[in-house]
Amino acid sequence: MHFTKVIQGSYYSAVSSNKVAFHENSLVCLNDEGQIEKIVQQDDSSYQTVLDQAKADNILWTLADDQYLLPGFIDTHVHAPQWPNISQALNSFEEDWFFNYTFPLEAKFSDAEFAHKVYDNLVQTLIDNGTTTVLYFGSLDNAGNVELVKSCQKFHQRGLIGKVVMDNPDECPDYYHDESTESALADTESFIQTVDKMNAGQFIKMQAVITPRYLTSCTLEGMRGLGQLAKKYDLLIQSHCSENNTEDAYALDNYNKRDSEMLDETGLLTDKAIMAHGTLLNDFDLNLFQERGTAIAHCPVSNGFHGTAVLPVKKALEKDINVGLGTDICGGYEPSIYQTLRQAAMASAMLSDGVDNSIEADKRGIGDARITADTAFYLATAGGAKTLHLNTGVIEEGAFADLQVVHAKYPEFIEQTPYTRFEKLMYETTTNEIDVVLTQGIVAKGEIK
């Protein structure tokens, strides 16, 4: 066997939505395709042979005792052009947030030079936080979207990027909408073809994604056209669905149907679709998502500001709906998936127990909605990979070598178990504790010694 790198150390990887496996002092062997070719456990008869050969070939990388190998994180919802507004206006009303902060900023991304500066910083920041794969909303203008592709290539991040479609002038600002439905579809198809050309000769491939912003901003004709493009090119679809009261009410007021129904009727609710937020998805919606195989991007930080309610993650997972995590930059204030998974656990606890102390305790929450650190980690890794149909998010043979090496933040003053160490990693890790990040075997942060 030919390996390009052999990592000796202990690792954690999700094996289901509620179980994380720990393997101590293993050999994780990478190949020149950027995949995990082989994993050799301590009790395997070939362990010493592989170890000795790796030493002889000078490809062995041994982790320190307080370092652990984890899958790279997957962010399933980022509005890339909103990065300069991170942490701003989070408590403003939705209309103010969009029309006075968000849309004026996004309109600036017709300037490729401006986009280049912003996106280089954004992508590097996400890499520094251990995020190796991101599903991005771009802007209306492909000049800026192309710069996002370039930044992902430069910093070795797997980017899935969509040209945002907003072809309904009645619901968009005069200065920021597609000129027409025809131009929206033509520009989308042009971006798809551009990304394909930009992938030539690249080791890590980018993907174009069909991206109607949300039902309010799009015409039904435009949405149907996007559904046809998704089918023609076999692409992922991303949008928003039932994020808050305003969005949820729009479909009912204008079409007398649910948001999910309108997405479905226009060909956008498919097994390759990822719908963000979904805080107001009811049983009908969740059953429709289950039938169509549609995934959810759970954005617990931004949902706390703009989402109106808490997504019942546990309920969605029990229906076999794929769920990933999203920072929702900049509806969310934090680029770290670590912070996002913590908020996911906290939000589930509040949903379970309730938040209104004027209601009797036994009637206050919905009960049995809590998720643990195990489930939150799953959403950040394997769950995110499933939503994006990618062979990553796990430390398993055949998966992409999208990895992060982290060290414990504090000394062990008392003896820890593998699980308590895992919990501490999930709840304590910051960029300072992320030592190395690899995407498809390429070092994107830090140094392999």
Side-chain angles (χ1 to χ4, degrees):
M1 294 183 183
H2 174 68
F3 306 133
T4 56
K5 181 62 64 179
V6 175
I7 305 171
Q8 182 183 31
S10 301
Y11 70 89
Y12 293 94
S13 185
V15 294
S16 71
S17 62
N18 54 21
K19 183 179 179 182
V20 175
F22 173 72
H23 295 278
E24 188 172 13
N25 200 31
S26 305
L27 301 176
V28 179
C29 309
L30 313 187
N31 63 25
D32 57 10
E33 296 297 320
Q35 296 173 310
I36 300 172
E37 177 76 21
K38 187 175 180 62
I39 299 177
V40 186
Q41 308 297 352
Q42 280 192 104
D43 58 357
D44 193 299
S45 60
S46 65
Y47 184 90
Q48 193 61 48
T49 301
V50 174
L51 179 62
D52 290 343
Q53 188 62 53
K55 289 178 180 177
D57 293 341
N58 197 30
I59 58 170
L60 180 67
W61 175 29
T62 300
L63 304 188
D65 290 342
D66 68 341
Q67 287 183 314
Y68 300 91
L69 191 66
L70 306 174
F73 282 162
I74 297 167
D75 194 331
T76 60
H77 192 58
V78 169
H79 289 273
Q82 294 178 21
W83 177 236
N85 276 355
I86 190 76
S87 304
Q88 293 183 23
L90 293 176
N91 290 312
S92 63
F93 291 109
E94 184 183 30
E95 185 171 349
D96 178 49
W97 189 83
F98 274 118
F99 284 87
N100 292 329
Y101 291 90
T102 301
F103 293 148
L105 173 61
E106 290 195 13
K108 295 180 182 294
F109 284 79
S110 59
D111 180 347
E113 184 176 354
F114 176 74
H116 170 76
K117 291 188 293 186
V118 172
Y119 289 153
D120 268 9
N121 182 258
L122 169 62
V123 175
Q124 185 173 36
T125 298
L126 292 174
I127 283 288
D128 287 347
N129 278 278
T131 303
T132 51
T133 298
V134 181
L135 180 60
Y136 286 110
F137 274 62
S139 63
L140 283 178
D141 297 284
N142 282 337
N145 296 329
V146 167
E147 293 304 315
L148 182 53
V149 175
K150 291 178 182 178
S151 294
C152 289
Q153 292 173 335
K154 178 179 178 180
F155 292 100
H156 310 301
Q157 185 180 74
R158 185 178 298 101
L160 299 88
I161 301 162
K163 174 256 181 295
V164 167
V165 169
M166 299 167 61
D167 70 319
N168 181 3
D170 294 338
E171 298 291 339
C172 301
D174 292 341
Y175 59 87
Y176 195 62
H177 62 76
D178 290 290
E179 291 183 5
S180 66
T181 297
E182 293 75 18
S183 69
L185 297 176
D187 289 347
T188 297
E189 188 160 25
S190 174
F191 182 64
I192 294 167
Q193 295 167 351
T194 297
V195 172
D196 186 55
K197 291 176 183 176
M198 293 178 72
N199 275 331
Q202 295 291 323
F203 189 67
I204 300 170
K205 305 297 185 184
M206 307 301 150
Q207 292 185 32
V209 181
I210 299 299
T211 308
R213 190 175 199 118
Y214 39 61
L215 181 63
T216 310
S217 71
C218 297
T219 66
L220 296 187
E221 180 187 0
M223 292 171 68
R224 291 189 184 98
L226 291 173
Q228 292 167 2
L229 283 176
K231 188 174 182 180
K232 176 180 177 180
Y233 289 98
D234 191 27
L235 296 179
L236 296 178
I237 300 164
Q238 62 177 340
S239 190
H240 301 75
C241 185
S242 295
E243 176 180 359
N244 50 43
N245 291 334
T246 302
E247 190 175 299
D248 206 49
Y250 183 84
L252 293 170
D253 292 344
N254 288 273
Y255 304 109
N256 198 31
K257 292 184 179 179
R258 299 283 298 162
D259 202 357
S260 63
E261 288 180 279
M262 297 310 300
L263 289 163
D264 189 41
E265 287 186 8
T266 53
L268 295 171
L269 206 68
T270 72
D271 61 356
K272 301 200 76 173
I274 305 95
M275 296 295 156
H277 303 289
T279 61
L280 294 177
L281 295 175
N282 60 21
D283 286 339
F284 170 85
D285 300 320
L286 290 173
N287 288 336
L288 184 57
F289 272 50
Q290 181 187 44
E291 291 172 14
R292 299 293 184 261
T294 300
I296 300 172
H298 178 35
C299 307
V301 176
S302 64
N303 289 349
F305 291 100
H306 305 297
T308 310
V310 176
L311 175 72
V313 174
K314 189 173 183 180
K315 185 176 184 179
L317 291 172
E318 287 172 348
K319 289 180 174 290
D320 293 323
I321 296 171
N322 289 327
V323 182
L325 282 183
T327 57
D328 192 24
I329 293 168
C330 77
Y333 60 81
E334 173 59 59
S336 169
I337 287 289
Y338 281 100
Q339 181 60 34
T340 304
L341 67 85
R342 293 163 197 155
Q343 184 65 30
M346 288 188 285
S348 74
M350 290 187 283
L351 178 63
S352 184
D353 298 344
V355 296
D356 186 349
N357 66 5
S358 68
I359 300 173
E360 294 180 16
D362 61 346
K363 299 177 182 178
R364 192 177 302 148
I366 70 170
D368 194 28
R370 286 176 178 260
I371 64 171
T372 63
D374 309 57
T375 300
F377 175 69
Y378 167 84
L379 300 179
T381 55
K386 287 184 177 180
T387 69
L388 302 183
H389 298 259
L390 291 171
N391 185 21
T392 186
V394 290
I395 300 178
E396 294 179 359
E397 293 178 358
F400 282 131
D402 298 343
L403 305 166
Q404 54 178 316
V405 176
V406 302
H407 68 265
K409 187 172 187 177
Y410 304 115
E412 287 192 8
F413 297 105
I414 59 175
E415 186 176 354
Q416 301 290 332
T417 68
Y419 186 72
T420 58
R421 289 190 187 101
F422 167 74
E423 286 185 306
K424 289 170 75 65
L425 291 175
M426 292 302 101
Y427 292 121
E428 295 173 356
T429 298
T430 69
T431 54
N432 293 330
E433 289 74 53
I434 302 172
D435 300 321
V436 179
V437 176
L438 298 91
T439 307
Q440 215 163 306
I442 296 175
V443 177
K445 175 188 178 177
E447 183 181 0
I448 295 177
K449 300 179 181 178

